Amino acid sequence: MAYTIAEKPEEARAFAAETAKDEDPAKRTAFDEKVAAEGKIEPRDWMPEKYRKTLVRQISQHAHSEYVGMLPEGNWVTRAPSLRRKAILLSKIQDEAGHSLYLYSAAETLGVSRDAMLEALHDGRAKYSSIFNYPTLTWADVAAIGWLVDGAAIVNQVSLQRCSYGPYSRAMVRICKEESFHQRQGYEAMMALAQGTPEQKKMAQEALNRWWWPSLMMFGPSDKDSPNSEQSMAWRIKRDSNDDLRQRFVDMTIPQADYLGLTVPDPELKLNAETGHYDFGEIDWDEFWQVVNGNGICNRERLQNRRDAWDKGAWVREAAMAHADKKAARKLAAAAE
């Protein structure tokens, strides 16, 4: 059974120390053979320290993305165009909060505390998806996020259900089911706009124009510029390369845009008859790295919102810990009687 550092701190520290012993050839061989045979590595299994650190980085970054990702849409809860849209949006934001909790819990099984992960996020050491540093200017942006951003997330996350690390793999099963709902509701909202008045269709097209290229950037840098992909794929943490996932998303999404009667903002986009895939233009990698390095439109605003929420929630955490301490003290007293 998986445990968190809060539940089993001594075991977590011992586990982290054990994983640092990469010099044992027998353990390394057994680990490599298990991964190659598509077995699952579990929290108490021995693993190379680099494997553990790679997982902590990837899972915590994923958790941070779900955590920060509530902000662009949360801005529209009070302005949703109908009660139905408001209820759907609230449900989706609640799902994203749940996803971050699943993922923080999965990362904790690797011996890192949730407080440490959030501290790394708040002081800028940890990253999250670049997509969440763009503003939502109209209601159509909320629809575009559901259709494009969650659509891109599904393409990436479906393959993570086969990740070699058990807790991460299992967390992705539920997350993918919920992300599929998010993508469908976003596409349905986009369809309502695209089939509405000329002003609504214009709004939908402008949102597609804003979110198309950032959605392609979600898959990370080109394979030739991705320093961690090769080792992650060798360890079966990642199952597909960034460029392969990006191509899969483009191939899936273009027919959907055509059905909506919307135009993807890429003059170089065309179906390649030989490969059966869509060729598309070059991504603005300068913009990508600017956003990743903290210089996007909303980077500072998003992080400050998360810091403020953490500070304002301190009394809740303190109250919860005090209640847990009292409960534990009563349990000890009852056992002593």
Side-chain angles (χ1 to χ4, degrees):
M1 181 180 295
Y3 59 87
T4 68
I5 194 167
E7 294 167 338
K8 299 281 188 178
E10 297 82 8
E11 290 186 34
R13 284 192 288 270
F15 163 77
E18 178 65 19
T19 59
K21 300 176 182 176
D22 282 355
E23 296 79 12
D24 190 324
K27 290 182 178 179
R28 182 57 189 261
T29 298
F31 169 85
D32 289 339
E33 288 176 350
K34 188 171 185 178
V35 169
E38 299 292 346
K40 296 297 183 191
I41 305 300
E42 299 298 341
R44 289 191 175 91
D45 292 343
W46 182 91
M47 64 187 74
E49 177 63 8
K50 288 183 179 179
Y51 177 84
R52 187 189 74 85
K53 286 184 176 180
T54 298
L55 282 166
V56 169
R57 176 187 58 78
Q58 181 169 326
I59 299 173
S60 64
Q61 180 174 310
H62 192 167
H64 297 329
S65 299
E66 301 281 359
Y67 182 53
V68 177
M70 294 183 283
L71 295 173
E73 294 169 307
N75 187 42
W76 281 90
V77 170
T78 59
R79 294 181 288 165
S82 69
L83 181 60
R84 174 175 176 268
R85 296 293 183 195
K86 187 189 296 288
I88 292 171
L89 186 57
L90 281 168
S91 178
K92 182 187 177 185
I93 292 170
Q94 184 180 36
D95 285 348
E96 306 295 3
H99 297 174
S100 67
L101 291 175
Y102 304 153
L103 293 164
Y104 284 130
S105 294
E108 283 180 310
T109 67
L110 292 157
V112 59
S113 73
R114 193 170 308 185
D115 284 358
M117 288 184 276
L118 289 170
E119 182 181 344
L121 170 67
H122 295 158
D123 66 19
R125 285 179 289 120
K127 303 296 184 184
Y128 56 88
S129 180
S130 61
I131 195 76
F132 299 118
N133 290 310
Y134 290 85
T136 46
L137 304 181
T138 71
W139 172 253
D141 288 334
V142 176
I145 288 174
W147 172 33
L148 298 174
V149 176
D150 292 310
I154 291 167
V155 170
N156 183 48
Q157 293 172 5
V158 163
S159 67
L160 290 174
Q161 293 177 108
R162 297 183 292 120
C163 171
S164 61
Y165 188 59
Y168 194 23
S169 171
R170 291 187 288 273
M172 293 315 305
V173 174
R174 178 167 179 174
I175 289 174
C176 284
K177 290 179 180 178
E178 293 176 349
E179 292 288 7
S180 295
F181 162 76
H182 300 167
Q183 192 274 342
R184 290 189 187 100
Q185 66 84 24
Y187 190 68
E188 188 269 340
M190 206 70 170
M191 186 183 301
L193 293 169
Q195 296 177 353
T197 65
E199 290 80 8
Q200 288 173 321
K201 184 169 183 178
K202 181 174 181 287
M203 187 188 300
Q205 181 62 61
E206 290 172 347
L208 173 56
N209 295 346
R210 284 191 288 273
W211 291 91
W212 175 252
W213 290 107
S215 295
L216 296 191
M217 296 176 194
M218 276 183 69
F219 296 96
S222 178
D223 292 342
K224 61 182 175 62
D225 298 319
S226 181
N228 302 305
S229 287
E230 185 176 353
Q231 184 60 74
S232 291
M233 291 180 68
W235 277 330
R236 309 287 205 275
I237 296 173
K238 287 182 63 173
R239 306 306 299 241
D240 299 281
S241 73
N242 294 350
D243 289 338
D244 286 345
L245 291 169
R246 194 169 4 250
Q247 183 67 62
R248 194 175 302 167
F249 171 72
V250 171
D251 292 343
M252 177 185 79
T253 308
I254 297 306
Q256 297 172 356
D258 290 343
Y259 183 81
L260 294 175
L262 301 177
T263 302
V264 170
D266 181 358
E268 297 181 42
L269 181 73
K270 63 180 183 300
L271 181 62
N272 188 317
E274 293 184 5
T275 65
H277 299 293
Y278 284 92
D279 295 334
F280 54 94
E282 183 68 16
I283 293 170
D284 185 346
W285 292 114
D286 288 339
E287 176 183 332
F288 170 80
W289 289 114
Q290 281 292 316
V291 176
V292 167
N293 291 324
N295 298 312
I297 299 172
C298 296
N299 283 68
R300 292 172 181 81
E301 175 188 341
R302 299 288 191 245
L303 269 183
Q304 191 57 51
N305 281 333
R306 293 294 77 185
R307 294 189 195 103
D308 290 345
W310 176 259
D311 292 341
K312 290 176 182 177
W315 71 272
V316 179
R317 296 191 299 276
E318 291 168 4
M321 290 302 296
H323 175 72
D325 290 343
K326 287 181 180 179
K327 188 175 179 180
R330 286 196 298 268
K331 187 176 180 180
L332 285 173
E337 291 177 357

